[in-house]
Amino acid sequence: MITFNPAYNINFKSYRHEILDKYGNVINRADTCMFRWDLDFDYLINFMEYKYRDADKVNIIAHACSDGEEIYSFISKLIDSLGLNNAEKYLPVMARDIEPLHIALAKKAEYRISPQEEPAIDYYLGENFFKYFNYISPNIIKPVSNLSKYVNFAQSDIMEDAKTLDFKNTVLLARNFWHYLGDDNIYKLARILSERMDKSSTLVTGGYDQRYGVENVLLECGFCKTRLNHVFEKI
């Protein structure tokens, strides 16, 4: 079990950033943390290993990556579960966000860990946490250099990327942002992905998306549920 030094005085929160329009309405929000609760990372990795067992290369694309905490969670668990040699066919991960500030923070990759995150970190990585992250001050962690080289961060808009990306043998992490697209763009994005994805593609959404009916939209547009919550494939 990880023992966090009480001298670190970990009493802070995970990253949260709201983007407002000129009237003060929230048009986008970045809420993120390490090993976010609504995704079972073990099951997802097992699912990927079975589905892509015959593929030499699998692309991982994470849109709305925020400050990078969740994608670093995913990469660290992927390597920890499979070993680097077996994980390499999934790497590097393409991580994208529409907000330039989020990409700047992701490239800086310095994270505060809240007490609420500690149980998930302990569950997924245990003492191996320290293979992937270092403390750079009493209360801030940073991915080790060997981890950060496995992710490529860049600013982009999924509504545009979805029209051009090759989704063959691809896992698209498109989590917990659909509501902010608005109803028209939710359907538009679902239709674009449905047209461009095939049975070798995997779409991973989030619990926040399900609250706003995104699952039903995806089912209408030709996706089917898998045995994993928030994970979809093309029919």
Side-chain angles (χ1 to χ4, degrees):
M1 177 179 292
I2 293 177
T3 301
F4 286 89
N5 189 332
Y8 290 159
N9 190 28
I10 301 176
N11 57 4
F12 33 75
K13 297 180 180 179
S14 305
Y15 178 67
R16 180 168 184 167
H17 174 233
E18 292 182 343
I19 302 169
L20 309 178
D21 64 16
K22 64 181 180 180
Y23 304 107
N25 300 312
V26 177
I27 58 173
N28 202 347
R29 177 183 287 119
D31 291 320
T32 191
C33 61
M34 298 290 292
F35 295 106
R36 192 164 177 161
W37 62 270
D38 61 340
L39 179 62
D40 191 313
F41 289 79
D42 284 324
Y43 281 169
L44 177 59
I45 291 169
N46 289 340
F47 175 89
M48 289 164 46
E49 276 289 270
Y50 180 79
K51 178 171 180 174
Y52 298 109
R53 61 193 181 279
D54 297 324
D56 295 326
K57 180 71 176 80
V58 180
N59 300 309
I60 309 292
I61 304 171
H63 256 281
C65 67
S66 190
D67 70 344
E69 288 180 69
E70 184 171 332
I71 200 60
Y72 275 121
S73 301
F74 175 78
I75 294 171
S76 62
K77 183 58 185 176
L78 184 71
I79 296 173
D80 204 61
S81 295
L82 305 182
L84 181 56
N85 286 342
N86 292 327
E88 280 188 327
K89 78 175 186 178
Y90 301 101
L91 302 172
V93 171
M94 292 172 52
R96 303 290 183 260
D97 199 284
I98 195 171
E99 173 56 44
L101 172 61
H102 298 165
I103 296 301
L105 290 171
K107 289 180 176 179
K108 187 177 182 181
E110 296 179 1
Y111 305 122
R112 298 175 182 270
I113 305 301
S114 72
Q116 290 76 21
E117 292 170 277
E118 295 175 22
I121 291 171
D122 186 47
Y123 176 79
Y124 283 112
L125 292 178
E127 292 292 346
N128 287 347
F129 173 82
F130 299 103
K131 292 182 180 180
Y132 307 105
F133 300 93
N134 291 322
Y135 279 101
I136 61 171
S137 75
N139 59 5
I140 297 176
I141 64 167
K142 188 176 182 67
V144 300
S145 58
N146 284 344
L147 192 66
S148 58
K149 71 180 182 181
Y150 294 121
V151 57
N152 175 277
F153 291 104
Q155 187 271 332
S156 68
D157 182 348
I158 191 171
M159 297 301 298
E160 297 302 319
D161 282 1
K163 301 173 186 176
T164 59
L165 288 170
D166 181 1
F167 291 109
K168 184 176 179 60
N169 287 335
T170 294
V171 178
L172 175 62
L173 302 171
R175 291 175 32 74
N176 297 311
F177 68 81
W178 290 70
H179 170 62
Y180 301 111
L181 297 176
D183 291 343
D184 290 345
N185 280 337
I186 288 174
Y187 276 93
K188 183 178 180 180
L189 179 58
R191 287 194 297 267
I192 292 171
L193 292 177
S194 179
E195 291 168 0
R196 296 186 57 79
M197 286 182 157
D198 61 23
K199 63 181 181 181
S200 74
S201 311
T202 302
L203 175 62
V204 185
T205 64
Y208 189 71
D209 304 315
Q210 184 167 320
R211 286 170 53 189
Y212 288 93
V214 171
E215 177 180 297
N216 292 334
V217 174
L218 293 174
L219 296 179
E220 288 177 23
C221 290
F223 287 89
C224 63
K225 295 193 289 185
T226 69
R227 60 185 177 85
L228 305 181
N229 287 336
H230 319 311
V231 178
F232 298 85
E233 295 178 297
K234 274 299 299 297
I235 296 174

